[in-house]
């Protein structure tokens, strides 16, 4: 009888572990149900604030564009603002595994799913109804439904972000002359193919809630490398490890990273090849404990470019 009881307990424990594992794996993924009110209408132009890559989706809804962060984050103040505007705000228990703004592992068990109103100056206004109420005072260019966010714990967790789990659902156009981005659901006219995006393919990637994207590039005709797309790196377009810095024609500069201000050696005249294109640019050599090779397209691109995350391609405007 005792042996039978042990077998039953073992079976129940195994079933609970299996159910928990399935729940955890299923809940890791975010943005499964995200959709647009006007799916064929681009979102933008969303201009960056003066000193960083923060955009305003609507009054009071400011988010940093951060491809280095795994999951988008939102503050309690913004959640309350959305509720006051009549937007849908729901919370669920779901595991989220990823990196925070400093590149450290972050695990949370709470998730918010909201409707994000988009108000772009100059694009006109209308009213729309959302689950949970109606927005009547905010001009609406579009609405993004079912956007998942991890709660922003405190100031040490950085600022509210639209992370790669959100951005990888779009084709992200960067307009250098306007210092802002436009989010597309399909490739607009006037763009020419340049090259492919790469993604990591390691066991840990299957436990992340989003992907990490890279551009394979060659600097000064040397060995090609995969450069991590990192918009959290402010002040540098291209990063290489300090040990790779040449011993001549270097200048000294500083770069703002999630780890703080980092000193860098800079070569102002390097030749960079990516896909079918070659350009002259600056290379910053420094170490910050994250990725050895990285590129911030918002600093690197001196033209209008487009990163097609779903299609894993990069384009430039003709």
């Amino acid at each position: 009888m005792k042996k039978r009881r042990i077998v039953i307990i073992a079976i129940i424990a195994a079933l609970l572990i299996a159910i928990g594992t399935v729940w955890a794996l299923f809940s890791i993924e975010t943005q499964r149900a995200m959709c647009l009110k006007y799916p064929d209408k681009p979102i933008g132009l969303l201009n960056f604030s003066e000193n960083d890559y923060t955009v305003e989706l609507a009054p009071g809804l400011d988010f940093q564009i951060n491809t280095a962060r795994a999951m988008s984050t939102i503050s309690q103040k913004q959640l309350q603002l959305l509720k006051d505007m009549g937007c849908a705000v729901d919370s669920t228990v779901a595991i989220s595994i990823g990196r925070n703004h400093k590149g450290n592992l972050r695990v949370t068990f709470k998730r918010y799913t909201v409707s994000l109103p988009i108000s772009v100056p100059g694009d006109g206004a209308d009213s729309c109804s959302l689950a949970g109420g109606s927005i009547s005072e905010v001009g609406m260019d579009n609405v993004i439904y079912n956007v998942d966010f991890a709660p922003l714990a405190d100031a040490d967790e950085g600022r509210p972000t639209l992370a790669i789990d959100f951005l990888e659902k779009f084709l992200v156009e960067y307009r250098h002359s306007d210092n802002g981005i436009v989010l597309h659901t399909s490739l607009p006219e006037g763009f020419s193919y340049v090259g492919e995006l790469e993604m990591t393919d390691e066991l840990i990637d299957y436990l992340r809630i989003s992907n990490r994207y890279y551009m394979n590039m060659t600097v000064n005709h040397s060995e090609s490398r995969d450069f991590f797309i990192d918009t959290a790196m402010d002040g540098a377009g291209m990063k290489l490890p300090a040990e790779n810095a040449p011993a001549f024609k270097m200048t000294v500069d500083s770069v703002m990273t999630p780890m703080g201000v980092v000193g860098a050696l800079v070569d102002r005249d390097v030749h960079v090849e990516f896909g079918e294109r070659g350009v002259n640019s600056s290379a910053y050599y420094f170490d910050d404990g994250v990725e050895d090779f990285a590129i911030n397209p918002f600093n690197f691109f001196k033209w209008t470019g487009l990163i097609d995350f779903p299609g894993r391609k990069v384009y430039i405007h003709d």
Side-chain angles (χ1 to χ4, degrees), residues 3 191 216 237 275-277 289 295:
K3 184 180 293 185
F191 284 86
N216 189 269
E276 301 175 356
R277 301 281 176 155
I295 179 173

Side-chain angles (χ1 to χ4, degrees), residues 117-139:
I118 309 297
S119 176
V120 180
D123 278 0
D126 69 350
S127 296
C128 68
S129 296
L130 299 177
S134 172
I135 301 176
S136 59
E137 298 181 358
V138 178

Side-chain angles (χ1 to χ4, degrees), residues 18-220:
I19 292 171
T21 301
V22 171
W23 168 80
L25 291 174
F26 181 78
S27 67
I28 283 175
E29 184 183 355
T30 63
Q31 319 302 358
R32 285 190 302 267
M34 190 173 73
C35 60
L36 301 178
K37 180 180 181 182
Y38 306 115
D40 298 326
K41 185 176 183 180
I43 297 176
L45 177 74
L46 302 173
N47 293 105
F48 293 135
S49 59
E50 185 175 354
N51 296 318
D52 58 24
Y53 306 112
T54 298
V55 297
E56 184 181 68
L57 301 186
L61 294 176
D62 298 327
F63 294 91
Q64 184 186 46
I65 303 298
N66 190 339
T67 59
R69 191 156 193 166
M71 184 173 182
S72 301
T73 56
I74 193 168
S75 69
Q76 293 299 319
K77 181 178 180 180
Q78 290 174 322
L79 289 169
Q80 186 58 53
L81 176 60
L82 288 171
K83 292 178 182 178
D84 293 343
M85 295 167 64
C87 295
V89 176
D90 298 310
S91 63
T92 57
V93 176
I95 187 171
S96 300
I97 303 174
R99 296 172 184 260
N100 65 10
H101 70 298
K102 292 185 176 181
N104 300 322
L105 182 67
R106 183 178 191 261
V107 181
T108 60
F109 294 92
K110 190 169 187 178
R111 186 177 300 173
Y112 291 97
T113 301
V114 310
S115 292
L116 278 182
I118 309 297
S119 176
V120 180
D123 278 0
D126 69 350
S127 296
C128 68
S129 296
L130 299 177
S134 172
I135 301 176
S136 59
E137 298 181 358
V138 178
M140 304 306 300
D141 177 62
N142 213 326
V143 181
I144 312 177
Y145 300 110
N146 305 317
V147 185
D148 295 323
F149 287 98
L152 196 63
D154 49 47
D156 291 336
E157 283 295 324
R159 69 189 68 184
T161 58
L162 293 177
I164 193 61
D165 68 322
F166 174 89
L167 298 168
E168 69 180 351
K169 305 300 183 183
F170 295 97
L171 293 76
V172 181
E173 176 188 352
Y174 171 61
R175 296 183 183 176
H176 175 74
S177 59
D178 296 314
N179 194 33
I181 60 172
V182 180
L183 304 179
H184 299 273
T185 56
S186 60
L187 182 66
E189 296 181 355
F191 284 86
S192 297
Y193 169 82
V194 177
E196 299 286 323
L197 289 182
E198 306 290 339
M199 291 191 334
T200 54
D201 188 18
E202 301 173 0
L203 179 60
I204 187 63
D205 297 318
Y206 295 97
L207 299 178
R208 293 192 181 110
I209 59 178
S210 55
N211 298 300
R212 292 173 72 79
Y213 292 87
Y214 298 78
M215 295 170 59
N216 189 269
M217 309 178 78
T218 302
V219 178
N220 286 340

